[in-house]
Amino acid sequence: MTEKFANNAAWIRAKREPVVIDHAPTPELAEHQVRIKVAYTAINPLDAKLQFFDVLPIKFPAILGLEVTGRVVESHCPNFSVGDTVLASLDALSGPQYGGFQKYTIAQMGHMAKISDDADLLKVVTSPVALFTTVYFFTKELHLDLPDLSNLAPTPSKGTVLVYSGSSATGAAAIQLAVQAGYKVVTTSSSRNADYVRSLGAHVVIERTSEDHIISALKAELPYIAVYDNFGTVDTGNVIAQAIGKGTIITLVPYNLPSKFSDVVVKFQATPERHLSPSAKKFLIEDYFPLITKPGSTVFKFQPGQLLGGLDQVQSGLNEQLKGVSAKKLIIAPNQV
């Protein structure tokens, strides 16, 4: 173990226990890992669910935080050097050293991208989990094309994609990738966020005024070549299943539909960033992330972020996230004093 980097973290000692700020070790790096001095960490819905609910296996004590921006301070990875500016999707489920709610974290090759030194790290921290997740599901489960970067405004001629809940980070990413790849996109949104979702390029925005209205409007746009549920509850699954009748729903959070929907299959993949194909990794890590994070780039609209403060604000952020955060992400600056 090394104490070269004085590290503090927001620990959760046990399920449903509150965050405690305390020292955290900085283990030696393994091959293909880097240590990042964290500039910003975005709070994701899964962070709050992991603290309070049994959604996915995780060992406690734990340090949560699934996506960060920052600078490399130590590298055992040939493609990354000390001083590189990076964004990363973190494997916090695998151990506390990989969580983002600490001053220094560890990221794996294949789960991070080198970006411009003058990138806006607060702005772009809302994108790693959403884009790693969405690119995985597009290529592995939904069988959709990724955008051709030489033509990011194609005619929507490849079929209709349903992105349920378009104002979430993954929903916003999915809308933009699908539009840029040449698909017609149908999505749902609250009335409050409808204009935001339209600004992402969705062709049809169904406002969630009532369940009957949603089902009727979704049926009017059939057939869908892919269905992506970014809300991930039995209730949303029931609505989608009633609308499509048969087919497959790809969901961000696992759930089981009632037996009456026997012709609808629900599929889920934990830690999707571990399963990206080499071509998908190249697209995202070498091409797309560097392109969209360039200062002044308008290729991708990042979900807005709200900076809460340092590690002492993690618990309040998780509490707020659990109550419901829409069309934005809450941000922590772990090295902020």
Side-chain angles (χ1 to χ4, degrees):
M1 305 285 286
T2 177
E3 290 297 324
K4 182 178 179 181
F5 305 98
N7 193 25
N8 275 3
W11 288 93
I12 299 174
R13 302 295 188 189
K15 180 73 72 177
R16 286 175 284 277
E17 289 292 315
V19 163
V20 176
I21 309 303
D22 201 356
H23 170 77
T26 51
E28 295 288 350
L29 297 179
E31 187 178 10
H32 302 309
Q33 292 183 340
V34 304
R35 195 181 318 279
I36 299 170
K37 183 177 182 180
V38 179
Y40 300 105
T41 308
I43 297 177
N44 280 268
L46 183 57
D47 289 312
K49 291 176 181 177
L50 286 169
Q51 182 180 21
F52 294 103
F53 305 112
D54 297 319
V55 289
L56 290 172
I58 184 171
K59 292 183 179 180
F60 290 92
I63 300 171
L64 301 178
L66 302 170
E67 59 187 341
V68 299
T69 55
R71 288 182 171 81
V72 175
V73 295
E74 187 179 8
S75 178
H76 285 188
C77 183
N79 299 329
F80 293 84
S81 302
V82 172
D84 285 345
T85 303
V86 296
L87 54 72
S89 177
L90 300 177
D91 196 6
L93 294 173
S94 293
Q97 65 270 39
Y98 304 114
F101 297 136
Q102 56 187 321
K103 290 185 174 183
Y104 296 91
T105 191
I106 295 174
Q108 311 272 357
M109 185 174 74
H111 302 176
M112 56 186 168
K114 192 184 307 184
I115 60 176
S116 171
D117 288 340
D118 53 358
D120 185 339
L121 299 187
L122 178 60
K123 175 183 176 181
V124 306
V125 74
T126 62
S127 67
V129 165
L131 280 169
F132 272 104
T133 300
T134 300
V135 167
Y136 166 79
F137 282 126
F138 267 42
T139 55
K140 287 286 191 178
E141 303 291 350
L142 297 168
H143 308 294
L144 299 176
D145 296 334
L146 294 174
D148 175 355
L149 298 185
S150 67
N151 179 18
L152 289 172
T155 302
S157 59
K158 295 181 178 179
T160 303
V161 174
L162 171 58
V163 178
Y164 199 94
S165 188
S167 64
S168 67
T170 50
I175 290 169
Q176 294 178 83
L177 286 176
V179 170
Q180 291 171 355
Y183 298 98
K184 177 183 176 181
V185 175
V186 175
T187 192
T188 62
S189 170
S190 66
S191 297
R192 181 181 62 181
N193 294 325
D195 286 342
Y196 165 67
V197 172
R198 289 187 184 96
S199 77
L200 302 174
H203 301 93
V204 178
V205 178
I206 300 168
E207 296 186 26
R208 296 194 299 270
T209 55
S210 72
E211 185 173 299
D212 288 343
H213 167 71
I214 298 169
I215 294 169
S216 175
L218 289 176
K219 285 182 176 179
E221 301 298 331
L222 288 169
Y224 300 106
I225 63 170
V227 177
Y228 190 29
D229 181 3
N230 294 275
F231 203 80
T233 68
V234 172
D235 290 341
T236 59
N238 283 341
V239 169
I240 296 169
Q242 289 180 70
I244 66 175
K246 61 180 179 179
T248 300
I249 301 171
I250 302 300
T251 179
L252 293 184
V253 181
Y255 56 79
N256 295 312
L257 289 174
S259 58
K260 65 180 179 179
F261 297 120
S262 57
D263 289 333
V264 178
V265 176
V266 178
K267 298 182 71 174
F268 164 78
Q269 173 65 61
T271 59
E273 70 278 358
R274 298 181 190 174
H275 307 284
L276 284 176
S277 68
S279 61
K281 284 182 180 179
K282 181 184 182 306
F283 166 82
L284 191 53
I285 293 171
E286 297 181 21
D287 301 329
Y288 202 67
F289 274 130
L291 175 65
I292 67 175
T293 56
K294 285 181 180 178
S297 173
T298 59
V299 170
F300 185 84
K301 290 191 176 183
F302 294 88
Q303 189 169 56
Q306 178 187 344
L307 180 61
L308 299 181
L311 292 173
D312 60 332
Q313 296 300 308
V314 170
Q315 187 61 69
S316 63
L318 292 171
N319 293 344
E320 186 174 347
Q321 181 66 63
L322 196 64
K323 293 176 184 176
V325 174
S326 180
K328 69 177 182 180
K329 280 191 176 181
L330 306 176
I331 312 295
I332 298 296
N335 278 281
Q336 178 175 308
V337 177

